[in-house]
Amino acid sequence: MGRWRGCCVEISGIMEVSVKNKFFTRKFVPAVQIRRLRKGMVIEMELYRRVKKSKFPWLLFYIGLTIELLIVLVDKSNYINPFEGRLFQLTFLIFALKLLLTDYTKKQWCAILLLEAVAFLSYRITGANDLIRLVTFVAACRDIPLRQMLRYTFYVTLVGCAVIVVLSISGVYGEISLTQAYGHEAAEDTRYIGEEASEETRYTLGMGHPNALSCMFLMLVALGVYVYFAQMKWYLYLFMMLLNVGVFVLTESKTSMLITTLFLAGACVLTYCRFLREKAFAYLCGLLVFALCIGFSVDAAVCAQRVRDAQWNEFYVLDPRDNDHIVLLGRIDRFINGRIISLTDSEENDGMIHTWSAFSRPGNMEHYFDMGWVKLFYRYGVVPGILYLAACLALLWKFWKNKDAGGLLVFTVLAVYTVVEAHLVSVYLGRNFLLMMMGVYLLPGSEAGKFCDNLNFGKNR
């Protein structure tokens, strides 16, 4: 062979033939070994495809969803969960595995990876992994039928709340009421004169706070009506309205009571005025309400200090010393129990627009206030906040395309509720069932896509 010499070596059970000269060495794997390797890869890929087509991804998703819902229920009770962080990590891994077992288009993969990159950047800046978990959860909702998912969420939440209430009433666990100052006195007396607010006793039924009880009632009503929208009758709306009054008597939570009343009234109108379900006017009204909610929240974040100063001046010198716009915001602030001026309670006026930043900052993770849309931008940053608003607008567009009037109603009412309450803007993914709607509508797959195509509240329901 002249300068060439050959030898045969066996490494890790694979026969390799080496041909060497003084310049280079070339190794040849026999064809039979290549065929075995290819056959093994084919078997692995076939197993992967079978797992994806099986019910295993579906089961994974519901295991993760169940854990998230139970975390929400434990949070609403009096129990302090010491394993909450670890459970969040567990559900993230479950939803990530479900994501890897789901087929996505190239555009969908690009969108998911881009949002995950934004979420990771937010994590590096703030140390909070909320957005990474959120994006993964929304992506994992693909190929899960929406109605099935929300029905399951409704019943798990309903049973969990019932257990908490029964344990409280029976005296086994949890306080049935809470006595404290709820701040319903005039702001002039408590904030400016300095008098202590009088204490009141309100019922919590194991939920830890009266507002938590009324909030969970609103969420259950919204979920239940959406899932069973086709079967709703006037007497069911009347029954839920009576329950709404009863919850108000127990908790004296005006905000939740009024928004629940608006939701039930709107649902009743859509039930018996079917022609409104397909009219563009209804969806344009929803868009207008959503825009007003965001605009008002931003305006409140800009003007909170001026509103507080105007109220102070109006009390002491009988002149707000500001324009009509600030005076109007002050009146609205009184109606919503001082939520605007609460943004000025801290030394840095946390929540006001000068404390917002592109991707938030670590210190913004700890401060709490009620205004949900303000909290979205303050806690997570302007860029993630705008992306979430874009997802909301895309979801509203999907509601219009699919004539999902029930979804429109839920979306609109929760947009109003988030102005004054931050229930949906939190680390708890199980609270915000709009995320499930986003996952199904904005990432339609095989099964979910067929479901969305049939989700026509105007005709099929």
Side-chain angles (χ1 to χ4, degrees):
M1 294 180 62
R3 292 182 301 172
W4 298 87
R5 59 190 179 90
C7 66
C8 182
V9 296
E10 185 175 352
I11 301 175
S12 302
I14 298 179
M15 192 69 69
E16 295 183 349
V17 178
S18 299
V19 179
K20 302 180 179 179
N21 69 359
K22 63 179 181 180
F23 300 108
F24 62 87
T25 299
R26 298 182 65 183
K27 294 183 178 181
F28 299 93
V29 179
V32 63
Q33 300 296 331
I34 295 177
R35 286 196 295 269
R36 289 178 183 176
L37 291 173
R38 288 178 176 174
K39 184 177 180 181
M41 293 177 63
V42 169
I43 292 174
E44 292 177 356
M45 290 302 298
E46 180 62 25
L47 178 61
Y48 176 66
R49 283 192 290 266
R50 288 185 179 182
V51 171
K52 287 202 301 184
K53 292 181 180 180
S54 68
K55 287 190 176 182
F56 182 66
W58 178 89
L59 181 62
L60 269 179
F61 178 83
Y62 276 99
I63 291 174
L65 179 60
T66 302
I67 296 173
E68 285 286 350
L69 294 175
L70 292 178
I71 293 173
V72 172
L73 292 169
V74 171
D75 174 68
K76 289 299 180 182
S77 70
N78 288 335
Y79 180 72
I80 304 300
N81 183 4
F83 308 106
E84 189 173 85
R86 294 299 181 188
L87 290 174
F88 284 152
Q89 293 173 352
L90 175 62
T91 56
F92 166 73
L93 293 176
I94 291 173
F95 292 131
L97 183 55
K98 163 61 173 67
L99 186 152
L100 295 176
L101 293 173
T102 304
D103 290 323
Y104 299 92
T105 65
K106 291 182 180 180
K107 289 183 179 180
Q108 290 171 346
W109 269 120
C110 290
I112 293 171
L113 293 176
L114 176 62
L115 292 175
E116 290 284 15
V118 173
F120 181 75
L121 178 59
S122 173
Y123 165 72
R124 294 291 296 176
I125 294 174
T126 65
N129 60 8
D130 305 358
L131 297 182
I132 297 177
R133 294 174 47 240
L134 184 148
V135 173
T136 305
F137 172 70
V138 171
C141 290
R142 177 178 160 94
D143 284 345
I144 304 295
L146 179 60
R147 189 177 181 185
Q148 175 194 89
M149 182 170 29
L150 292 181
R151 186 189 296 117
Y152 180 80
T153 301
F154 171 72
Y155 281 112
V156 171
T157 307
L158 177 63
V159 172
C161 289
V163 169
I164 293 174
V165 170
V166 170
L167 290 177
S168 172
I169 294 176
S170 61
V172 176
Y173 186 80
E175 300 295 332
I176 194 172
S177 62
L178 179 65
T179 301
Q180 67 175 35
Y182 291 94
H184 275 220
E185 288 83 358
E188 290 82 355
D189 297 330
T190 57
R191 288 181 178 271
Y192 306 141
I193 296 180
E195 292 183 359
E196 291 188 6
S198 59
E199 293 187 342
E200 303 174 58
T201 298
R202 299 181 184 179
Y203 290 93
T204 64
L205 302 185
M207 294 287 182
H209 195 277
N211 287 349
L213 175 60
S214 60
C215 172
M216 292 307 293
F217 176 74
L218 170 60
M219 295 300 123
L220 285 171
V221 168
L223 264 175
V225 170
Y226 181 79
V227 171
Y228 293 104
F229 192 72
Q231 291 80 34
M232 293 302 297
K233 305 295 182 182
W234 66 268
Y235 50 84
L236 294 176
Y237 290 122
L238 178 60
F239 174 70
M240 285 188 287
M241 189 61 216
L242 293 176
L243 288 179
N244 184 33
V245 174
V247 170
F248 173 70
V249 171
L250 294 174
T251 64
E252 296 187 34
S253 177
K254 294 186 297 183
T255 301
S256 295
M257 187 272 292
L258 290 174
I259 293 179
T260 303
T261 301
L262 290 174
F263 176 80
L264 291 174
C268 189
V269 169
L270 290 175
T271 298
Y272 291 99
C273 300
R274 294 177 175 269
F275 66 92
L276 291 176
R277 301 179 184 180
E278 297 185 2
K279 297 295 184 182
F281 175 75
Y283 298 88
L284 288 175
C285 288
L287 176 61
L288 177 61
V289 171
F290 177 71
L292 288 174
C293 290
I294 304 302
F296 173 79
S297 299
V298 173
D299 192 26
V302 172
C303 302
Q305 185 62 55
R306 289 177 62 187
V307 171
R308 186 182 189 118
D309 294 341
Q311 289 183 353
W312 178 281
N313 293 332
E314 188 175 7
F315 176 71
Y316 280 106
V317 299
L318 303 180
D319 184 0
R321 295 180 177 176
D322 215 318
N323 57 36
D324 293 340
H325 169 230
I326 299 300
V327 172
L328 176 60
L329 281 180
R331 292 174 181 172
I332 296 174
D333 181 65
R334 294 176 188 276
F335 180 75
I336 59 178
N337 298 323
R339 282 175 168 85
I340 296 178
I341 61 175
S342 69
L343 301 178
T344 65
D345 286 344
S346 65
E347 291 184 4
E348 297 184 5
N349 291 346
D350 291 279
M352 288 191 64
I353 201 163
H354 69 269
T355 62
W356 297 6
S357 56
F359 287 93
S360 190
R361 55 186 179 178
N364 290 12
M365 298 296 109
E366 305 300 330
H367 194 74
Y368 178 82
F369 44 82
D370 287 325
M371 299 190 71
W373 293 117
V374 174
K375 183 180 178 182
L376 173 68
F377 290 101
Y378 170 77
R379 182 183 176 91
Y380 297 108
V382 175
V383 174
I386 291 175
L387 290 175
Y388 182 76
L389 296 186
C392 289
L393 292 174
L395 181 62
L396 183 59
W397 170 257
K398 289 291 185 178
F399 286 152
W400 156 242
K401 295 294 289 184
N402 290 278
K403 301 299 184 289
D404 186 353
L408 167 69
L409 183 62
V410 170
F411 175 89
T412 305
V413 168
L414 293 185
V416 175
Y417 187 67
T418 305
V419 172
V420 293
E421 292 289 348
H423 175 78
L424 301 181
V425 184
S426 73
V427 299
Y428 303 103
L429 301 178
R431 287 185 181 183
N432 191 352
F433 51 89
L434 286 178
L435 298 177
M436 306 177 199
M437 296 181 177
M438 290 178 184
V440 174
Y441 271 114
L442 304 184
L443 296 170
S446 54
E447 297 177 13
K450 293 178 182 178
F451 175 79
C452 287
D453 290 340
N454 293 327
L455 191 59
N456 190 320
F457 286 85
K459 298 178 180 179
N460 300 334
R461 294 193 170 194

